[in-house]
Amino acid sequence: MTMYESDDPRAGLSTAKGGSGQAAASASDAFGTSTYARYYDSEPQERSDHARTWYTRGQNMVVCYSEVEDGAVFERDGQVDEYVLLLPETNVSATVEANGETQEVEPFSITMIPPGDSRIKLHGEGPAVRLISTRSPDIVAKVHNADRYPGDHPHVPELESWPTPNGGFRIRSYSLDVPDEEGRFGKIFRCTTFMVNVFPPQGPRDVTKLSPHHHDDFEQCSLAVKGWYMHHLRWPWTADQNEWREDEHERCLAPSVCVIPPRVIHTSAPSDPQTNVLVDIFSPPREDFSDMPGWVLNADDYPRK
């Protein structure tokens, strides 16, 4: 059974064929639980000078979503691995310093920041998103959904970083102003710890052409930055009917995050009649997306696993 329509670019993925998404688990806990973080309707976990920040985790990742004012600063001392700065709109830029290097980062961009000491200073007013792995306990301690992760997820392997970038670690920034291309799925960038897919703005989705599918061994984090989305999740059945769960149909405005566990059938429908923008986040990078020629826009900088 194919999980996507024939005209969906993902139909050619090595992971595109599968069954019903059912898993040979003896308990429903094996599937984990979803997270719906509605930042527009909740207090931030942190308030600092010129910034309000919400922290939401997955098994391997933490989304640090900030609404910033001009002059906001974020610093990392002795960061253990590479992390990401996403500036999803055109009204916020940044000065990034890392290990003696300084780079001016344009708005509407994604920037890979190396391990070690780093400092981000934001210019303008709007959203700024940092993606940091759960190897940083100080960041994990700030999340609002810690109860979703009492232990390691049984179907998510331990985070293993991908190969060191060509030329070594340094600040690497990429514009998101990339033209659409037929047959390519979104705008995908990867580093050693994350893969980020920024979708182009789109109107409401035809509900007769949704794409319910599942992932066997990784979580998906969907960050809505504009518009609103209906997230539909269906939990596989186990042999014990007492463990079956109701489907989830959650309406999430922007900004918000939906964390989807592995093996759960899901699809997200952009629903605002004007403009919707979604960012899908994975940690570590996806091998199936990396297999597709031309999909990863910075593949020349980051060797694949």
Side-chain angles (χ1 to χ4, degrees), residues 74-91:
F74 299 108
E75 295 182 301
R76 298 298 296 158
D77 295 328
Q79 172 66 26
V80 297
D81 54 11
E82 199 171 26
Y83 71 105
V84 177
L85 171 66
L86 174 67
L87 301 178
E89 296 186 1
T90 59
N91 51 344

Side-chain angles (χ1 to χ4, degrees), residues 42 83 89 127 148 195 202 205 209 211-212 242 254 286 289 301:
S42 61
Y83 71 105
E89 296 186 1
R148 296 290 199 267
M195 175 174 278
Q202 55 188 311
R205 190 166 185 178
K209 295 183 178 180
S211 58
N242 294 310
R286 289 180 60 162
F289 279 9
D301 290 338

